[in-house]
């Protein structure tokens, strides 16, 4: 597979300027050029700063504070789904492995139901994040069901009983409500950092 060919700064600036105009904004071409051609070897700058510089260069006059989340998506039990090494990542890895087996002429194991369910749940969690009316207990129940299904699929035949999704839900939801499952992280730096850069 050939390596992607880089695009020239002028092409990128032109495309972003056109996008800005179509959005009813007025881009600053020189500021765009400075952000896009940023030389990290000359002056180190956090990626967050570069992103906010890009937004401003596109002509966005005001950057608001972060919106409140409807539920703590980065805490357990939701982190079982949204964490970079959570169940959807495992499901995608298994699918990639199956494709490789097929290419090698082998017959792969069939896709497990929990794999497609966990990927769909991950998408739903992110799509629901800013909906204040979201049914959080229902989401926790679905996490418990997917986790139980994943656990049942990976039983090693040693006679262990499959996890009861109802009991798992009760444990996960109770721990989420009372804060014992995973306490709030006072160092939620990503959102704090974004709020410090808010301009209105």
């Amino acid at each position: 597979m050939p390596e992607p060919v880089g695009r020239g700064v002028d092409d990128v600036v032109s495309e972003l300027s056109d996008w800005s105009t179509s959005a009813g904004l007025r881009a600053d071409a020189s500021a765009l050029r400075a952000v896009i051609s940023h030389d990290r070897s000359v002056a180190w700058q956090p990626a967050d700063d570069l992103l906010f510089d890009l937004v401003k260069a596109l002509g966005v006059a005001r950057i608001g504070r972060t919106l409140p989340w409807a539920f703590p998506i980065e805490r357990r039990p939701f982190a079982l789904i949204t964490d970079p090494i959570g169940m959807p990542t495992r499901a995608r890895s298994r699918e990639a492995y199956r494709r490789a087996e097929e290419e090698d002429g082998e017959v792969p194991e069939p896709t497990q139901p929990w794999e497609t369910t966990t990927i769909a749940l991950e998408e739903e969690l992110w799509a629901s994040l800013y909906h204040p009316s979201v049914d959080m207990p229902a989401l926790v129940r679905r996490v418990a069901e997917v986790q139980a299904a994943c656990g049942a699929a990976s039983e090693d035949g040693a006679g262990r009983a499959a996890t009861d999704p109802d009991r798992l839900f009760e444990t996960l939801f109770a721990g989420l409500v009372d804060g014992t499952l995973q306490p709030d992280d006072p160092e939620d730096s990503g959102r704090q950092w974004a709020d410090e850069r808010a301009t209105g």
Side-chain angles (χ1 to χ4, degrees):
M1 182 176 186
E3 290 190 17
V5 178
R7 298 173 59 200
V9 172
D10 289 339
D11 291 341
V12 176
V13 169
S14 176
E15 183 176 332
L16 289 174
S17 296
D18 290 345
W19 176 90
S20 175
T21 301
S22 68
L25 303 172
R26 182 176 296 161
D28 180 336
S30 62
L32 281 173
R33 183 173 270 89
V35 173
I36 294 165
S37 60
H38 178 71
D39 185 354
R40 291 184 184 154
S41 66
V42 175
W44 181 85
Q45 187 176 12
D48 291 350
D49 288 346
L50 287 173
L51 176 61
F52 277 86
D53 288 348
L54 176 62
V55 169
K56 291 176 185 175
L58 286 168
V60 176
R62 174 181 153 309
I63 300 172
R65 292 176 60 83
T66 56
L67 295 174
W69 287 346
F71 56 94
I73 196 166
E74 292 183 332
R75 288 174 48 203
R76 287 179 57 93
F78 305 111
L80 295 168
I81 305 296
T82 60
D83 189 270
I85 57 171
M87 287 186 283
T89 300
R90 288 176 52 198
R92 291 186 181 98
S93 296
R94 289 167 60 91
E95 180 57 32
Y97 184 73
R98 280 191 290 270
R99 282 196 302 269
E101 284 184 316
E102 286 179 344
E103 290 173 3
D104 290 342
E106 300 176 33
V107 179
E109 292 182 8
T111 300
Q112 297 289 328
W114 71 265
E115 295 173 19
T116 53
T117 304
T118 192
I119 291 171
L121 179 55
E122 178 188 40
E123 293 171 357
E124 183 178 343
L125 288 176
W126 286 111
S128 303
L129 188 56
Y130 295 102
H131 293 257
S133 61
V134 69
D135 186 347
M136 188 166 64
L139 291 178
V140 175
R141 179 170 293 284
R142 296 203 26 225
V143 171
E145 289 170 353
V146 170
Q147 186 179 14
C150 176
S154 61
E155 288 295 316
D156 61 7
R160 292 180 298 172
T163 304
D164 177 0
D166 290 332
R167 292 190 64 186
L168 182 58
F169 163 74
E170 290 172 10
T171 302
L172 293 176
F173 189 65
L176 177 65
V177 170
D178 67 18
T180 58
L181 192 60
Q182 183 172 333
D184 285 322
D185 181 3
E187 301 296 325
D188 186 5
S189 59
R191 290 169 66 79
Q192 290 177 4
W193 203 329
D195 285 343
E196 288 170 7
R197 287 158 174 73
T199 57

